[in-house]
């Protein structure tokens, strides 16, 4: 399952909106050689994203005004002709649009339905529908650039797609079991406290509730670095080099917010702590 809209800008190389339908078609034919795809469309934006989406939409429409007007004239049907100047303006306006329009989405959906490609809509964000598909056993993995899926329980998340020189596509894969495995060399507090992934998502903010003020990734997930004693005045080059090595290899203290939450004995205690430690805590 994938949020196709994000393929327009988040992948490498980027796929600009004017060619979105063609790129989606190409990607579908390529991926269909190996997997059966299910496409999930976003529904109504959450209240946190509604204002952002409205602002983005206004900017896109303003940037692509000449393109949209020319396209509308062609869609209305009947005989119509365009001057070279109109086509040049429309082309330039089309390239300025950094995201797909409703026309682009409608064309993709129309093509998928005509081809019998499986696609579903979501009431809100597509990630919720994707997770439901995974839990119901409809799909084996999720292709998305949205990290919320991991907090919601995704087992295999494929992201950061890029295309190799030989034409093959490559993803970074976030496997839940491998991430939380004790042998994972890339340690983080989430490895130690897998039950607190949702707590971390609430603290740092997501598509469904705002970030609790004053909390960043270092404070929530990592904790502070161990303190080193100051060098004495007149320190020798050997002492300076030794301190430099120690500074590079400092470990994190057990004072992150996840450490503090883990020390609380019940879910209710954690909830009350979260509410008490942020001006937007009541969003929980």
């Amino acid at each position: 399952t994938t949020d196709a809209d994000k393929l327009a800008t988040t992948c490498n190389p980027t796929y600009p909106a004017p060619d979105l339908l063609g790129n989606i078609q190409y990607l579908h034919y390529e991926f269909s050689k190996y997997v059966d795809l299910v496409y999930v469309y976003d529904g109504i934006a959450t209240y946190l994203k509604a204002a952002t989406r409205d602002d983005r939409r206004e900017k896109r429409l303003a940037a692509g005004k000449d393109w949209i007007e020319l396209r509308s004239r062609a869609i209305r049907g009947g005989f119509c002709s365009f001057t070279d100047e109109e086509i040049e303006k429309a082309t330039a306006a089309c390239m300025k649009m950094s995201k797909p329009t409703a026309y682009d989405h409608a064309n993709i959906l129309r093509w998928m339905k005509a081809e019998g490609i499986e696609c579903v809509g979501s009431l809100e964000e597509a990630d919720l529908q994707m997770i439901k598909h995974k839990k119901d056993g409809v799909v084996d993995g999720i292709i998305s650039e949205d990290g919320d899926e991991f907090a919601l329980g995704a087992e295999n998340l494929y992201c950061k797609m890029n295309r190799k020189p030989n034409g093959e596509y490559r993803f970074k894969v976030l496997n839940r079991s491998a991430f939380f495995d004790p042998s994972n060399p890339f340690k983080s507090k989430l490895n130690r406290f897998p039950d607190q992934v949702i707590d971390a998502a609430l603290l740092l903010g997501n598509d469904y509730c705002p970030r609790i003020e004053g909390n960043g990734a270092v404070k929530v997930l990592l904790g502070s670095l161990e303190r080193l004693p100051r060098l004495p005045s007149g320190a020798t080059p050997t002492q300076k080099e030794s301190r430099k090595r120690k500074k590079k290899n400092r470990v994190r203290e057990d004072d992150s917010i996840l450490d503090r939450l883990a020390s609380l004995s019940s879910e209710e205690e954690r909830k009350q702590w979260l509410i008490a430690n942020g001006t937007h805590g009541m969003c929980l």
Side-chain angles (χ1 to χ4, degrees):
T1 51
T2 180
D3 184 352
D5 185 13
K6 290 188 173 65
L7 294 177
T9 57
T10 57
C11 297
N12 179 27
T14 57
Y15 297 103
D19 300 317
L20 184 60
L21 175 59
N23 281 296
I24 292 295
Q25 290 174 330
Y26 179 77
L27 289 173
H28 177 78
Y29 291 134
E30 287 294 309
F31 290 178
S32 295
K33 297 175 183 177
Y34 311 101
V35 294
D36 295 321
L37 294 168
V38 179
Y39 293 88
V40 180
Y41 284 79
D42 276 328
I44 300 171
T46 62
Y47 80 97
L48 285 176
K49 295 184 73 174
T52 301
R53 287 192 174 184
D54 289 343
D55 181 59
R56 290 175 180 172
R57 186 182 301 110
E58 287 181 11
K59 289 179 179 178
R60 290 199 303 270
L61 294 177
K65 182 174 178 293
D66 291 324
W67 161 250
I68 294 171
E69 288 180 353
L70 183 142
R71 194 174 191 183
S72 297
R73 283 166 55 191
I75 290 174
R76 284 196 293 268
F79 177 79
C80 57
S81 60
F82 309 108
T83 65
D84 290 343
E85 184 180 2
E86 286 177 323
I87 293 174
E88 288 175 2
K89 280 186 176 181
T91 302
C94 185
M95 296 304 294
K96 288 179 183 177
M97 299 179 74
S98 60
K99 288 277 187 175
T101 67
Y103 288 126
D104 294 297
H105 290 160
N107 280 335
I108 293 171
L109 184 58
R110 180 173 58 183
W111 167 71
M112 287 184 174
K113 288 188 173 182
E115 294 291 319
I117 297 169
E118 189 170 0
C119 54
V120 297
S122 179
L123 291 177
E124 292 186 339
E125 292 291 299
D127 47 20
L128 290 173
Q129 189 65 47
M130 293 179 183
I131 294 297
K132 184 70 166 59
H133 279 328
K134 180 64 183 73
K135 290 182 176 179
D136 290 347
V138 177
V139 300
D140 298 304
I142 295 173
I143 301 173
S144 178
E145 298 298 319
D146 196 331
D148 284 341
E149 277 92 350
F150 187 74
L152 291 168
E155 292 294 335
N156 292 302
L157 183 62
Y158 300 82
C159 56
K160 305 301 180 187
M161 183 182 75
N162 63 71
R163 190 178 181 187
K164 296 165 66 176
N166 64 2
E168 293 181 355
Y169 287 92
R170 178 171 53 190
F171 294 88
K172 289 186 178 179
V173 183
L174 179 58
N175 177 272
R176 197 175 196 85
S177 299
F179 180 81
F180 289 120
D181 192 288
S183 63
N184 179 6
F186 302 101
K187 300 294 183 184
S188 76
K189 295 299 170 71
L190 285 178
N191 294 88
R192 291 173 54 189
F193 310 121
D195 294 336
Q196 293 178 216
V197 172
I198 292 179
D199 292 331
L202 292 173
L203 287 160
L204 295 172
N206 51 77
D207 289 341
Y208 308 97
C209 68
R211 178 174 66 88
I212 296 181
E213 199 169 281
N215 296 300
V218 172
K219 186 176 180 181
V220 173
L221 301 176
L222 300 177
S224 59
L225 287 165
E226 65 174 323
R227 295 178 180 274
L228 296 178
R230 289 180 176 274
L231 282 172
S233 58
T236 65
T238 302
Q239 289 176 314
K240 291 179 181 180
E241 184 62 30
S242 175
R243 190 179 190 280
K244 186 177 180 181
R245 286 196 301 270
K246 289 179 180 179
K247 184 176 181 180
K248 185 178 180 180
N249 297 312
R250 283 183 297 173
V251 298
R252 295 283 177 177
E253 303 285 0
D254 292 332
D255 60 355
S256 72
I257 292 182
L258 291 192
D259 285 299
R260 298 175 195 175
L261 289 174
S263 68
L264 302 176
S265 58
S266 70
E267 188 70 30
E268 184 59 30
E269 283 183 311
R270 290 213 300 263
K271 181 178 178 182
Q272 293 304 319
W273 190 93
L274 290 169
I275 290 174
N277 283 271
T279 57
H280 299 299
M282 292 307 295
C283 73
L284 305 178

